Amino acid sequence: MRQLYIGGSWTASTSDESIEVANPATEEIIDRVPAGTPGDVDAAVQAARRAFPRWAETPAAERGKLLGDAADLLRQRSDEIAKTIATDMGAPLGFALKVQTLMPATVLSSYARLAESHPRESRAGNSLVLKEPVGVVAAITPWNYPLHQIICKAGPALAAGCTVVLKPSEVAPLAAYALAEIFDEVGLPAGVFNLVSGRGPVVGEAMAAHPDVDMVSFTGSTGAGRRVASLAAESVKRVALELGGKSANIILPDADLPLAVKVGVANCFVNAGQTCSALTRMIVHRDQYDEAVRLAVETARGYTVGDPFDESTRIGPLVSATQRERVVRYINRGQEEGARLVAGGTEQPHERGHYVEPTVFAGVEPGMTIEQEEIFGPVLTLIPYTTEDMAVEIANGTKYGLAGAVWAGTEEHAVSVARRLRTGQVAVNGGRFNPMAPFGGYKQSGVGRELGEYGLEEFLEIKALQL
């Protein structure tokens, strides 16, 4: 069984209990990690607290150098780490390499640069305004992007001068261990980065409630985010929450319909649909609706479901049996409420593994469960509209506001509609994801932003000196 990383050393948990890590494609147990305890959390927090003053005072260039070295080592080990991610969470190997491993390395490099370049002082009249590290940060991360989401928190926190206690998801924790090994190898000072594996209700809640934690940064479901915020409120901690989504893809009548549908389907099914910002609602003018459904079904049928290590695979398994059961329940619910299943469904495509066929629903109306709730699987819903105002109303008609997309004949037209969406990011005519742009949500999709300078600002306190 693996150990915890606390105070610069690999340390046994105070509990003998372990958590099995399974390969979702084969259902075989591939590793075990400690089921950490509140005592383990306290030891990690105290190590981070002791390390904080010196790390905060470390010259920014030195902090940036260490992060840059870690990013370089991450790239050098990218093939190995990608195989780890493909094995413990099921992402197809190519995606695990390019998006799950190399993109986090790019993000970490950006924070290596920002550690030194981001301004920490400014003047406001007779005041000197300082930006200082917030302190000890508890980072609680999910299984769907097991390395990227850690880097989105640890990268800016460490660049800012904060120390970190990480709880990775116990479902897919192995990339977190690889990162801890890298931080240890490049010489990150003892206590600056700590890892405590375990279950959310035990380790995560102990971190959120700990009086010596200054900030909690959490990514996960909206329900779990509410719980984290509630626990953090007891000691008035700063909280950053990156939560669920039900993102809309509006295709306007003057858009390139075949391209918009093709790209929209790809975005919905990326990472087997296990992406909080996935464009799961395709909103199409009624005059083009039948053609859009046909194109979506045709595109979906081109997505091969299978072994993450098979080059032909475009959709790997869902991460667990629990996740597959959740997605199947939503597919059944959609049919019960009157939506038409036009592709995919609930049949198991392989004898072993937690697979779901790429699924498309037509005849979806606003307010249906599958139109309102986050499914977190490869399930696309198509909703018709008759006016532009109606399309915007449908897009804004959920409790979420994380991402979205607008397709139109001109960029000007698309931007005019994108400005009306109550969401944190909008892709215009297929604009590609920018890892330096702020990422986060409106409404119940979260609080705060990640990535780029906006992500760094989350981990800085502001002090004014009146001169």
Side-chain angles (χ1 to χ4, degrees):
M1 183 174 74
R2 293 175 181 258
Q3 295 183 308
L4 310 177
Y5 186 70
I6 298 176
S9 301
W10 292 103
T11 306
S13 170
T14 56
S15 168
D16 293 330
E17 184 185 356
S18 66
I19 300 171
E20 294 179 338
V21 180
N23 180 334
T26 65
E27 304 182 45
E28 296 172 345
I29 304 305
I30 56 173
D31 212 330
R32 286 177 171 81
V33 297
T37 68
D40 295 330
V41 170
D42 184 62
V45 171
Q46 296 312 322
R49 175 58 60 197
R50 290 190 297 271
F52 172 65
R54 179 170 293 181
W55 181 245
E57 294 171 2
T58 298
E62 187 175 333
R63 291 200 303 270
K65 173 69 164 53
L66 287 167
L67 294 180
D69 290 346
D72 291 342
L73 200 49
L74 183 54
R75 288 190 188 90
Q76 292 172 29
R77 298 181 182 173
S78 59
D79 287 339
E80 173 189 344
I81 293 172
K83 289 175 183 176
T84 297
I85 293 172
T87 302
D88 80 344
M89 70 78 54
L93 183 59
F95 183 82
L97 176 62
K98 182 183 289 187
V99 177
Q100 297 270 23
T101 308
L102 292 178
M103 185 171 72
T106 297
V107 173
L108 188 56
S109 291
S110 76
Y111 283 116
R113 296 188 297 271
L114 283 168
E116 186 172 8
S117 66
H118 191 70
R120 296 296 182 91
E121 296 185 6
S122 61
R123 292 297 297 261
N126 70 307
S127 298
L128 178 63
V129 180
L130 309 178
K131 294 180 179 179
E132 301 178 339
V134 70
V136 175
V137 174
I140 304 172
T141 58
W143 46 260
N144 60 327
Y145 289 85
L147 180 61
H148 176 67
Q149 291 296 339
I150 293 170
I151 295 298
C152 285
K153 301 177 189 307
L158 296 173
C162 300
T163 53
V164 174
V165 179
L166 168 69
K167 190 205 90 68
S169 169
E170 69 276 17
V171 177
L174 303 184
Y177 277 84
L179 181 64
E181 290 167 359
I182 286 173
F183 280 149
D184 184 78
E185 192 167 327
V186 300
L188 206 64
V192 170
F193 178 85
N194 307 272
L195 185 159
V196 181
S197 60
R199 297 183 176 89
V202 178
V203 172
E205 293 202 3
M207 288 167 62
H210 200 291
D212 285 329
V213 168
D214 299 295
M215 176 177 173
V216 183
S217 182
F218 171 84
T219 296
S221 71
T222 296
R226 291 192 197 99
R227 177 62 177 164
V228 166
S230 175
L231 291 167
E234 291 297 318
S235 50
V236 199
K237 292 178 176 57
R238 179 179 292 193
V239 175
L241 303 172
E242 200 268 278
L243 307 177
K246 193 67 180 176
S247 300
N249 181 15
I250 297 177
I251 304 176
L252 298 168
D254 58 342
D256 182 336
L257 183 66
L259 179 61
V261 171
K262 178 183 177 180
V263 174
V265 169
N267 182 282
C268 180
F269 293 162
V270 71
N271 207 36
Q274 299 170 128
T275 300
C276 54
S277 57
L279 300 176
T280 54
R281 295 185 299 146
M282 186 175 289
I283 302 172
V284 186
H285 195 277
R286 193 170 293 279
D287 291 345
Q288 299 174 315
Y289 186 77
D290 290 344
E291 177 63 7
V293 170
R294 187 191 69 77
L295 290 167
V297 170
E298 181 181 285
T299 304
R301 287 176 177 160
Y303 278 73
T304 305
V305 178
D307 181 355
F309 288 89
D310 187 328
E311 290 185 1
S312 68
T313 294
R314 298 184 72 182
I315 295 183
L318 300 184
V319 77
S320 66
T322 299
Q323 187 64 18
R324 185 182 189 280
E325 290 164 6
R326 168 192 170 94
V327 173
V328 166
R329 284 197 302 272
Y330 275 112
I331 294 173
N332 288 331
R333 184 69 176 273
Q335 294 176 88
E336 291 164 5
E337 293 186 1
R340 290 187 292 113
L341 184 67
V342 292
T346 61
E347 288 188 13
Q348 170 63 279
H350 297 286
E351 187 176 335
R352 301 184 70 186
H354 311 305
Y355 293 96
V356 171
E357 292 279 2
T359 297
V360 179
F361 276 103
V364 179
E365 296 295 334
M368 284 185 175
T369 300
I370 59 170
E371 191 268 338
Q372 287 287 305
E373 296 185 13
E374 184 175 45
I375 297 173
F376 230 58
V379 180
L380 174 66
T381 62
L382 283 92
I383 307 110
Y385 72 90
T386 54
T387 67
E388 200 167 281
D389 287 345
M390 182 181 176
V392 171
E393 182 180 355
I394 293 170
N396 289 335
T398 75
K399 65 184 178 182
Y400 298 112
L402 186 57
V406 179
W407 292 81
T410 66
E411 182 177 291
E412 182 181 18
H413 186 190
V415 167
S416 70
V417 174
R419 289 179 182 275
R420 300 172 64 188
L421 301 187
R422 298 284 296 167
T423 188
Q425 281 203 347
V426 184
V428 172
N429 284 344
R432 68 182 185 276
F433 180 76
N434 177 5
M436 302 300 107
F439 182 85
Y442 286 33
K443 299 186 284 185
Q444 293 189 35
S445 283
V447 177
R449 293 294 181 268
E450 293 184 333
L451 299 175
E453 61 181 308
Y454 301 91
L456 182 61
E457 290 283 348
E458 293 289 336
F459 298 94
L460 295 172
E461 287 281 19
I462 298 176
K463 176 189 291 181
L465 306 183
Q466 321 306 349
L467 306 180

